[in-house]
Amino acid sequence: MTVQNIAVLGAGTVGAQVLRLINEHRDDLQARSGAQLNVSAVLVRDVNAKRDWDVDPNLLTTDAQAAIDGADIVIELIGGIEPAFTYVKRALKNGSTVITGNKALLAQHGPKLYELAAQNDTDLYYEAAVAGAVPIVYGLRESLAGDRVNRMIGIVNGTTNFILDQMATTGASYEEALKEAQDLGYAEADPTADVEGLDAAAKCAIMASLAFHSRVTMEDVEVEGITSITAEDMEEAAKQGMVIKLLAIAERRVDIEGVEGIGVQVYPALVPTTHPLATVSGAFNAVVLENESAGRLMFYGQGAGGAPTASAVLSDLVAGASHRVRGGHAPRESRYAELPILDPGSAQTRFQVRIRVREAAGVLEEVAGIFARHGVSLLAVQQNKAKDGQDVQIVLATHTTRDSDLQAVIDALGKSKSVLAIESSLRVEGDD
Amino acid sequence: MTVQNIAVLGAGTVGAQVLRLINEHRDDLQARSGAQLNVSAVLVRDVNAKRDWDVDPNLLTTDAQAAIDGADIVIELIGGIEPAFTYVKRALKNGSTVITGNKALLAQHGPKLYELAAQNDTDLYYEAAVAGAVPIVYGLRESLAGDRVNRMIGIVNGTTNFILDQMATTGASYEEALKEAQDLGYAEADPTADVEGLDAAAKCAIMASLAFHSRVTMEDVEVEGITSITAEDMEEAAKQGMVIKLLAIAERRVDIEGVEGIGVQVYPALVPTTHPLATVSGAFNAVVLENESAGRLMFYGQGAGGAPTASAVLSDLVAGASHRVRGGHAPRESRYAELPILDPGSAQTRFQVRIRVREAAGVLEEVAGIFARHGVSLLAVQQNKAKDGQDVQIVLATHTTRDSDLQAVIDALGKSKSVLAIESSLRVEGDD
């Protein structure tokens, strides 16, 4: 049986699990791939560091070039742009199969790497880079190869999902929930990448590239994080049978000038509790695909963690090894469609705007008039006494409207003397 | 560009949609597969029958052999065992790629066909045979190739899901809900295959074969349908925060003698409303996979219908055509594990038993004693006055117990003079 040498670059939580699974499931993996999988090198920073998992010390090395050049299949689990980018390029130029879980690298240099793989007649796999164990890359690359994806909505960041869950269930403020997430190890000391939506944006770019056969990078994604979500937003949402989720959205749409293209956005939105995404809690991820023929499909599973992510790496390993010994390739990363990225202003959603106004006759009419003048049609208006005194709170729900029109309304509300504060403006997921 | 000739055998709802999609998405499919897809024949019963969809009349034929022999890729959408079995064998012997949506054929002759495909160095695809648009075959064949599936729970029959939904939401009896399903065209005039669980059993066998790399046929599946579910069962379930769903279950387990094998069963069960499967309603299907490393994954989507099923056929068509022109194969149907099928008596679940007893001192103790004597531990016992008079209803919920032990309890209850009737005995999905 053909032997395939495997170099594992980076041996953190995921790497350790990958090595364990290759070892424990040796016979299964051999039967499935048709290859004998032999770990030939494990690239680490320090060969003498203490490890709480088993590894043959002779495999450990700090010599990246030797590790890469001696392997048929390179599993890159270092993360970040450099030196991962250099290593992956070297492996692909060698004609080796590359498996990576590095979303930052793909969101920035994906198209270059896919091209390099094709030039060298080899394959690049990255199921582990998006949504952990959830097989969304397979879903988009293979299961929907005969269909047309119209829209993709995902919950793809576990940290923010945990924080929003905590806020919803305990009434905690954003700061308190973040603190708890940090104490439990679910959020990093510097939580920026998660809470500002950058991690979700990177995944969104990778998935949108696949779904729409176009070049989408992280810079194309319009991003809004969860840092301005308040306990009051959560309370209001619950009253209306909704939850707030950080959504990564990519959709095919037509802009004001009639140009067909793609919109890619990450933002917190109100989601009705009856929506399949509303029940996705804690560290779970889910991606809903709305397709021309297949209709609505959902993929759901654990979005992070050593073992779930390692499971995604192993599925790529079986596919990659199998293609090496039996011929064939992973589906090519075709960018044939090359749809343009559209301005986020052309996106159409429903909104819910909460403002605080002075209690005075005619204010409701004035506010409703501002919406009407900008062509934003209202679905419902509710007026509440503010908790702390004389002011009045107005919650306005719109019909589907363009982002740019709603932005104009917000600007006009800001200039109105009757409006004391714009407390929140959130999109609402789902049709009118 | 290489031309691939395609014969479509059978042109019902799915076939018509497949032909439409091949036509409408010609450029997309070509870009993705690397082949020019040319429909060379459409096998029908009567070339002169009226059709409400477009087809080049020159493609229509009743000559199956000529259609098959002239094609590189054969799409079988006839259904049933014969003549589909003969046609598929002929195509595979020709070395053609076969795509089928025929679950009956696969559940009965799958292993023979996989072997024939391998002998002739070609591929057999069947994503459309299980759960419509839900990509569970891809999920099991590819996404979980590096993992170990421990358990699979699916809602894979839309007709029974619709009937149970109707009963739950309207309080209708089984007969009333079935009648409505028939009136709406969701159930056939002879609904046996659906309501007795045979359709779910066929899909269960196909999925279990894939999940456990073993030979599982429809005869191996222990089947119980939904015909004995009553409006009262539904009402009782709702009171306890549960719904009743027809589940297809396949699991790896160890029997009483310590033999590791597979259990495959289809039965209606109580499912807590918090379980991801509880919200799967109407024509939607979902399959939950519990995996060693990936943990719990769920695939959800439309389980039937022309367009969703055609989407599954088209994804197989892209993969099949791509492998023909670019080399390689679909993952082989490996039966290397060959785990034995275990007796259903060795299955372990929780149960809920509802009985009617004479109101008399000591009956509750007597009944509880019967459970205890058979080693079945009780989680909860509730006694209700029966609606219609003096009798008393007792609802007993057990801890996880063996099917065989519970069956012994039911037999003993049947012999007890205090027990007037065993109204229902349902399994409960979920851990203790």
Side-chain angles (χ1 to χ4, degrees):
Chain A
M1 180 163 288
T2 319
V3 174
Q4 292 289 305
N5 285 322
I6 300 164
V8 177
L9 314 185
T13 324
V14 178
Q17 291 288 335
V18 165
L19 290 166
R20 179 182 66 79
L21 291 172
I22 291 176
N23 203 31
E24 279 181 22
H25 294 186
R26 190 167 295 281
D27 295 346
D28 277 0
L29 296 172
Q30 185 165 316
R32 296 177 195 177
S33 66
Q36 194 182 316
L37 303 176
N38 174 54
V39 176
S40 52
V42 178
L43 180 70
V44 292
R45 273 197 214 132
D46 175 4
V47 295
N48 298 314
K50 263 205 160 177
R51 299 194 159 77
D52 56 0
W53 43 276
D54 282 337
V55 63
D56 175 352
N58 295 319
L59 296 177
L60 299 176
T61 176
T62 54
D63 184 345
Q65 296 201 357
I68 293 165
D69 295 351
D72 304 294
I73 300 174
V74 173
I75 301 177
E76 185 272 303
L77 299 168
I78 301 169
I81 306 297
E82 282 296 353
F85 189 35
T86 303
Y87 294 169
V88 167
K89 282 191 290 187
R90 185 178 185 97
L92 292 173
K93 282 180 193 156
N94 285 346
S96 300
T97 297
V98 173
I99 296 164
T100 177
N102 190 329
K103 62 184 165 284
L105 179 61
L106 290 170
Q108 190 165 331
H109 297 299
K112 268 177 247 167
L113 295 174
Y114 309 140
E115 208 174 300
L116 197 59
Q119 280 165 10
N120 291 281
D121 196 34
T122 188
D123 291 316
L124 175 68
Y125 294 86
Y126 52 93
E127 186 62 73
V130 184
V134 183
I136 188 65
V137 174
Y138 272 86
L140 289 168
R141 282 220 284 203
E142 314 213 17
S143 305
L144 287 159
D147 208 325
R148 205 176 159 89
V149 181
N150 290 321
R151 192 155 187 266
M152 191 189 76
I153 325 165
I155 294 176
V156 290
N157 179 273
T159 305
T160 49
N161 206 41
F162 175 85
I163 292 172
L164 293 172
D165 257 14
Q166 281 299 105
M167 291 176 70
T169 51
T170 67
S173 69
Y174 166 73
E175 289 74 17
E176 289 163 350
L178 169 62
K179 173 86 174 46
E180 181 164 3
Q182 286 171 324
D183 289 348
L184 292 168
Y186 296 154
E188 295 182 44
D190 175 0
T192 313
D194 291 316
V195 301
E196 297 293 356
L198 307 176
D199 173 80
K203 294 168 183 166
C204 189
I206 296 169
M207 292 192 291
S209 297
L210 275 172
F212 302 115
H213 304 275
S214 298
R215 182 184 293 248
V216 183
T217 67
M218 200 168 152
E219 284 70 47
D220 297 321
V221 185
E222 177 82 3
V223 190
E224 188 187 325
I226 64 162
T227 54
S228 61
I229 301 293
T230 64
E232 198 180 356
D233 291 335
M234 283 290 174
E235 205 180 307
E236 278 294 321
K239 271 187 211 161
Q240 299 168 41
M242 303 215 254
V243 292
I244 299 176
K245 295 284 183 190
L246 183 68
L247 303 181
I249 298 205
E251 63 184 5
R252 191 189 291 274
R253 69 171 178 249
V254 174
D255 76 1
I256 302 166
E257 275 111 43
V259 176
E260 195 194 6
I262 307 166
V264 271
Q265 290 178 275
V266 169
Y267 52 70
L270 292 158
V271 177
T273 50
T274 51
H275 193 285
L277 288 175
T279 56
V280 177
S281 62
F284 278 85
N285 277 194
V287 181
V288 168
L289 301 171
E290 294 172 359
N291 312 288
E292 186 186 299
S293 299
R296 183 184 273 182
L297 286 179
M298 184 167 85
F299 297 76
Y300 165 98
Q302 293 191 61
T309 309
S311 170
V313 170
L314 270 278
S315 71
D316 283 347
L317 179 58
V318 169
S322 173
H323 280 132
R324 291 190 77 85
V325 303
R326 293 171 179 154
H329 279 292
R332 283 275 174 247
E333 297 305 315
S334 166
R335 298 283 169 273
Y336 67 85
E338 287 303 5
L339 293 169
I341 308 296
L342 301 182
D343 184 271
S346 66
Q348 301 201 43
T349 29
R350 290 190 290 144
F351 279 84
Q352 198 172 96
V353 179
R354 205 172 68 235
I355 59 175
R356 183 181 287 244
V357 298
R358 241 180 273 284
E359 188 168 24
V363 171
L364 187 62
E365 289 71 13
E366 185 192 332
V367 166
I370 292 174
F371 280 78
R373 271 201 302 286
H374 292 89
V376 176
S377 166
L378 289 170
L379 181 71
V381 179
Q382 202 192 322
Q383 190 163 316
N384 308 314
K385 195 85 180 169
K387 281 182 190 154
D388 54 356
Q390 288 193 315
D391 303 338
V392 167
Q393 190 185 60
I394 304 181
V395 181
L396 302 111
T398 77
H399 281 287
T400 298
T401 186
R402 281 192 199 283
D403 271 33
S404 53
D405 292 341
L406 199 279
Q407 197 45 56
V409 167
I410 296 290
D411 292 347
L413 289 172
K415 284 175 196 151
S416 159
K417 282 184 185 147
S418 313
V419 178
L420 299 173
I422 297 165
E423 296 188 328
S424 85
S425 161
L426 284 168
R427 290 176 186 81
V428 182
E429 180 54 33
D431 299 330
D432 273 28
Chain B
M1 181 166 283
T2 319
V3 174
Q4 292 289 303
N5 285 322
I6 300 164
V8 177
L9 313 184
T13 324
V14 178
Q17 292 288 336
V18 165
L19 289 166
R20 178 182 67 79
L21 291 172
I22 291 176
N23 205 31
E24 280 180 21
H25 294 187
R26 192 166 293 281
D27 295 346
D28 276 0
L29 296 171
Q30 187 167 314
R32 296 177 196 177
S33 66
Q36 191 183 319
L37 303 176
N38 173 55
V39 176
S40 52
V42 178
L43 181 70
V44 292
R45 273 196 214 132
D46 175 3
V47 293
N48 298 313
K50 266 204 159 177
R51 301 196 157 76
D52 58 357
W53 43 275
D54 284 337
V55 62
D56 176 351
N58 295 318
L59 296 177
L60 299 176
T61 177
T62 55
D63 184 345
Q65 296 200 357
I68 293 165
D69 295 350
D72 304 295
I73 300 175
V74 173
I75 301 178
E76 187 273 303
L77 299 168
I78 302 170
I81 305 297
E82 282 297 352
F85 188 35
T86 302
Y87 294 170
V88 167
K89 282 191 291 189
R90 186 179 185 95
L92 292 173
K93 281 179 192 157
N94 286 344
S96 300
T97 296
V98 173
I99 296 163
T100 178
N102 191 330
K103 63 183 164 285
L105 179 61
L106 290 170
Q108 191 165 332
H109 296 299
K112 268 176 245 168
L113 295 175
Y114 310 139
E115 206 172 302
L116 198 58
Q119 279 166 10
N120 291 281
D121 196 33
T122 187
D123 290 316
L124 176 66
Y125 293 87
Y126 52 93
E127 185 62 73
V130 185
V134 183
I136 186 66
V137 173
Y138 272 86
L140 289 167
R141 282 220 283 203
E142 314 213 16
S143 305
L144 288 159
D147 208 325
R148 207 177 158 89
V149 180
N150 289 323
R151 191 155 187 264
M152 189 189 76
I153 326 166
I155 294 177
V156 291
N157 179 273
T159 305
T160 49
N161 206 41
F162 175 85
I163 292 171
L164 293 172
D165 257 13
Q166 280 301 103
M167 291 177 69
T169 51
T170 68
S173 69
Y174 165 72
E175 290 74 17
E176 289 162 349
L178 169 61
K179 173 84 174 45
E180 182 165 1
Q182 286 171 324
D183 290 348
L184 291 168
Y186 296 156
E188 295 182 46
D190 175 1
T192 313
D194 291 316
V195 301
E196 296 293 357
L198 307 177
D199 172 80
K203 293 166 182 166
C204 188
I206 297 169
M207 292 191 291
S209 296
L210 275 172
F212 302 115
H213 303 274
S214 297
R215 182 184 294 247
V216 183
T217 67
M218 199 168 152
E219 285 69 48
D220 296 321
V221 185
E222 177 83 2
V223 190
E224 189 186 324
I226 63 162
T227 55
S228 61
I229 301 295
T230 64
E232 198 180 356
D233 290 336
M234 282 291 172
E235 205 181 308
E236 278 294 321
K239 271 187 213 162
Q240 298 167 42
M242 303 213 256
V243 291
I244 299 176
K245 295 285 182 191
L246 183 68
L247 303 182
I249 298 204
E251 63 183 6
R252 191 189 291 274
R253 68 170 180 251
V254 174
D255 76 1
I256 304 164
E257 276 112 42
V259 177
E260 193 194 9
I262 307 167
V264 270
Q265 290 179 274
V266 169
Y267 52 69
L270 293 158
V271 177
T273 50
T274 50
H275 193 284
L277 287 175
T279 56
V280 177
S281 64
F284 277 85
N285 279 193
V287 181
V288 168
L289 301 171
E290 294 172 0
N291 312 289
E292 186 186 297
S293 299
R296 182 184 274 182
L297 285 180
M298 183 167 85
F299 297 76
Y300 166 99
Q302 292 192 59
T309 310
S311 171
V313 170
L314 269 278
S315 71
D316 282 347
L317 180 57
V318 169
S322 174
H323 280 131
R324 290 190 78 84
V325 303
R326 292 172 180 154
H329 280 292
R332 285 275 174 245
E333 298 305 316
S334 167
R335 299 281 168 274
Y336 66 85
E338 287 304 3
L339 293 169
I341 309 296
L342 301 182
D343 184 273
S346 65
Q348 300 201 45
T349 29
R350 290 190 290 146
F351 279 85
Q352 197 171 95
V353 180
R354 204 171 70 237
I355 60 175
R356 183 181 287 246
V357 298
R358 241 179 273 283
E359 189 170 24
V363 171
L364 188 62
E365 288 70 14
E366 185 192 334
V367 166
I370 291 174
F371 279 79
R373 270 201 302 286
H374 291 89
V376 177
S377 163
L378 289 170
L379 181 69
V381 180
Q382 199 192 322
Q383 190 161 315
N384 309 316
K385 195 87 180 169
K387 281 180 192 159
D388 55 356
Q390 289 193 316
D391 302 339
V392 166
Q393 191 186 59
I394 305 180
V395 181
L396 303 111
T398 76
H399 281 289
T400 298
T401 184
R402 281 194 199 283
D403 271 33
S404 53
D405 291 341
L406 198 279
Q407 197 46 56
V409 168
I410 297 290
D411 292 347
L413 289 172
K415 284 176 196 149
S416 160
K417 282 185 186 145
S418 312
V419 177
L420 299 173
I422 297 164
E423 295 187 331
S424 86
S425 161
L426 284 169
R427 291 173 184 82
V428 182
E429 180 54 33
D431 299 330
D432 272 30

